[in-house]
Amino acid sequence: MLDLKWVRENLDIVQKAIENRNMKVDLTRFRELDAERRRLIVDVEQLKNRRNVVSSEIAKLKKAGEPAEDKIAAMRELGEEIKRLDERLAEIEDALSAIMLDIPNIPDKSVPIGPDESANVVIRTWGEPPKFDFEPRPHWDLGIDLGILDFERAAKIAKARFVLYWDIGARLERALLNFMLDLHTKEHGYTEVFPPILVNSASLVGTGQLPKFADDLFKVQNEDLYLIPTAEVPVTNIHRDEILAAKDLPRYYCAYTPCFRSEAGAYGKDTRGLIRHHQFNKVELVKFVHPDTSYDELERLTANAERVLQLLNIHYRVVALSTGDLGFSAAKTYDIEVWLPGFGGYKEISSCSNFEDFQARRANIKFREEPKAKPRFVHTLNGSGLAIGRTVAAVLENYQQADGTIAIPEVLKPYMAGAEKITPRLF
RNA sequence: GGAGAGAUGGCCGAGUAGGUCGAAGGCGCUCGCCUGCUAAGCGAGUAGGGGAUUAUAAAGUCCCCUCGAGGGUUCGAAUCCCUCUCUCUCCGCCA
């Protein structure tokens, strides 16, 4: 959410930012509601002031044993008037906050302007695509033939876009998430947390998934609870409605959680393999930082995520998202796109964003510069470090051998119970 | 799931026959004084949000709201009523 006063005074900037995002929001209604709200506040508060003054006069009269019936009668009428105005004000404020919650974040100046992902800009690449003296195969073929990925049974148990990992495939998933958690906690200074994976609607409003994107979420029946689409939601909300001390910043958290997405608008997209599932595992990095440092922190966060692929020795590139491709809450985002030789292209494996104070204002996360200073909003950031399922896909495709087996990356060997490579499951 | 108790400022904790209570007191914290140093002591300050005012901002001043959340009763509610949420204790069930 943006600051109400700031929006009032910078309507043209907001309008332009929304257009750059290829979205529409009608700001004339905002202008009307905002003006009406302030008019009403002035009126109703004047009346309330009078009520307070006269009520204390009544108290004095009562104490002195003197009659106050005329004043009480007058206040009874005033009370009715106040009630009417308060109701009207509440309606206006509801409508206004609905608009405010629907306005996306303002992209940072450095974000490339463009209508969609075609305007994204490649910032850097790392490593090189592996060379094969055979035709590399996609991970789903490899996984199915090795008997470690079972899409058919997963569809039987749940539905399409789920997977059942078998044996060393399951271990590879677990190895990757342990490797990532160890890397970020031991070498990058993150504190590991393990949060609830069901969250309430207030948390989802805090990070920006609600009210706008309810269709993307799985909701628990008859409860105000949703399956998390990303650990960003519970972890960012750790400090909802809190005021941190300046010395508490920056805070770095990492979390492994499963993630659940309805993929409502994704029919026909990425229908094969591990790329776009209703349930997937992810290690998430979340930062709470001082506003002055958030863009430096974004660079470091992205570097922390990249480190995973570097250690796995898998080629990738980093892309700056354009205004048209940028997420609703983000001010700036780098996607890390991993090379998938069997699939024959790059695929997003991490999305690292600076939300500035957009989430902090929604979730009311503040800090004090000095012990007595006025609280200010922190800046929040997060990024995948990394999505596990897509990393499995990347390992399978990049480490595949001519005979259909998969070599195990050096850094994963300590996590693989002595296995040197993935061979077909025999039972 | 059943029964009971509770929810007040960063923390602890007063405050129920409704009337200067946004709230005593203590701790903590900030600033100052005092003191070779430290401790102790003394003084002052110390919730959040919103609105008005000033050409903008900071500061200031005035006002409104908030004593878990939302509603109600009343001229007036931390105090009374209703609903919800959470915490604790006991019982039941359960990994």
Side-chain angles (χ1 to χ4, degrees):
Chain A
M1 192 160 53
L2 303 172
D3 180 62
L4 182 66
K5 263 183 227 162
W6 186 88
V7 172
R8 179 187 304 148
E9 287 158 11
N10 296 279
L11 276 175
D12 46 336
I13 295 177
V14 177
Q15 188 70 55
K16 185 78 189 139
I18 294 170
E19 281 166 20
N20 284 340
R21 280 173 171 276
N22 229 349
M23 295 172 61
K24 278 186 220 129
V25 171
D26 185 6
L27 291 175
T28 58
R29 179 122 173 87
F30 166 88
R31 211 181 326 219
E32 289 165 9
L33 289 168
D34 178 56
E36 176 73 358
R37 168 176 174 269
R38 286 192 290 160
R39 262 197 304 276
L40 273 171
I41 285 173
V42 171
D43 290 351
V44 77
E45 288 192 354
Q46 242 162 29
L47 299 184
K48 283 180 178 176
N49 178 236
R50 193 139 68 83
R51 180 173 68 184
N52 290 342
V53 168
V54 175
S55 285
S56 75
E57 287 170 11
I58 292 171
K60 286 197 189 92
L61 290 174
K62 290 265 191 182
K63 231 170 221 168
E66 289 172 35
E69 292 315 313
D70 52 335
K71 282 187 196 294
I72 289 176
M75 285 307 98
R76 192 172 294 140
E77 269 178 51
L78 186 66
E80 293 301 316
E81 176 71 9
I82 287 171
K83 195 172 173 183
R84 261 199 306 281
L85 290 178
D86 262 344
E87 279 166 8
R88 176 123 177 74
L89 182 60
E91 284 170 23
I92 303 262
E93 294 203 316
D94 285 352
L96 189 60
S97 78
I99 290 177
M100 290 301 290
L101 287 171
D102 265 10
I103 297 178
N105 204 353
I106 305 294
D108 183 58
K109 293 113 335 239
S110 66
V111 173
I113 293 171
D116 51 40
E117 67 273 8
S118 67
N120 295 350
V121 174
V122 176
I123 301 295
R124 60 181 166 270
T125 61
W126 186 90
E128 297 198 349
K131 295 188 171 50
F132 297 97
D133 49 15
F134 57 93
E135 189 63 30
R137 305 165 68 203
H139 65 276
W140 54 87
D141 284 349
L142 293 162
I144 290 168
D145 286 356
L146 289 163
I148 58 172
L149 299 181
D150 188 339
F151 297 103
E152 289 187 7
R153 286 199 177 91
K156 173 173 68 180
I157 296 165
K159 66 182 281 191
R161 296 188 189 278
F162 284 88
V163 67
L164 166 66
Y165 289 92
W166 283 94
D167 196 47
I168 197 165
R171 181 177 290 277
L172 177 61
E173 179 91 2
R174 183 155 57 91
L176 280 167
L177 69 90
N178 278 323
F179 161 64
M180 292 180 199
L181 285 172
D182 286 347
L183 174 68
H184 297 309
T185 55
K186 290 178 186 169
E187 292 183 26
H188 297 154
Y190 291 77
T191 300
E192 183 174 350
V193 295
F194 187 64
I197 60 177
L198 289 171
V199 295
N200 57 36
S201 52
S203 292
L204 288 157
V205 170
T207 35
Q209 285 77 17
L210 287 181
K212 233 183 156 164
F213 306 103
D215 287 349
D216 297 336
L217 301 167
F218 288 113
K219 186 178 187 312
V220 177
Q221 275 202 342
N222 305 323
E223 294 266 5
D224 179 35
L225 287 172
Y226 298 77
L227 284 164
I228 58 170
T230 158
E232 160 193 352
V233 179
V235 177
T236 304
N237 277 280
I238 287 173
H239 293 301
R240 173 151 54 87
D241 293 322
E242 291 186 16
I243 301 174
L244 305 170
K247 66 176 166 53
D248 292 331
L249 300 178
R251 292 284 256 250
Y252 299 167
Y253 298 142
C254 71
Y256 148 72
T257 68
C259 303
F260 302 89
R261 299 184 182 180
S262 74
E263 296 297 346
Y267 300 113
K269 251 193 238 171
D270 303 318
T271 51
R272 308 198 66 186
L274 295 169
I275 300 303
R276 192 178 296 276
H277 277 194
H278 291 305
Q279 174 186 337
F280 62 96
N281 289 319
K282 182 156 60 70
V283 168
E284 185 76 359
L285 307 172
V286 176
K287 290 184 171 188
F288 301 81
V289 308
H290 190 287
D292 294 347
T293 66
S294 63
Y295 280 94
D296 293 338
E297 294 282 4
L298 176 61
E299 297 301 322
R300 277 197 288 276
L301 177 78
T302 308
N304 294 153
E306 286 175 60
R307 186 83 185 128
V308 175
L309 288 176
Q310 291 169 7
L311 290 170
L312 289 169
N313 197 25
I314 296 176
H315 169 60
Y316 67 85
R317 66 183 186 187
V318 176
V319 169
L321 297 194
S322 72
T323 52
D325 202 22
L326 199 60
F328 175 79
S329 301
K332 179 168 187 169
T333 298
Y334 292 120
D335 274 4
I336 300 173
E337 297 183 341
V338 72
W339 174 249
L340 295 176
F343 170 79
Y346 293 94
K347 205 74 203 172
E348 175 195 339
I349 199 166
S350 173
S351 196
C352 301
S353 303
N354 183 4
F355 301 90
E356 298 190 359
D357 63 6
F358 189 85
Q359 292 182 326
R361 186 172 290 105
R362 286 176 162 244
N364 192 27
I365 307 168
K366 297 182 175 176
F367 78 103
R368 268 185 239 273
E369 196 93 60
E370 301 290 334
K372 278 182 63 181
K374 283 260 184 303
R376 298 173 60 191
F377 291 112
V378 302
H379 281 194
T380 61
L381 301 91
N382 66 58
S384 347
L386 309 164
I388 308 291
R390 291 185 180 187
T391 309
V392 168
V395 168
L396 295 182
E397 295 199 11
N398 283 278
Y399 281 83
Q400 62 182 300
Q401 309 295 306
D403 62 0
T405 65
I406 312 292
I408 290 176
E410 272 315 305
V411 292
L412 292 184
K413 284 186 177 166
Y415 297 93
M416 290 299 286
E420 291 290 323
K421 58 180 184 174
I422 298 175
T423 53
R425 183 168 58 92
L426 297 175
F427 54 91

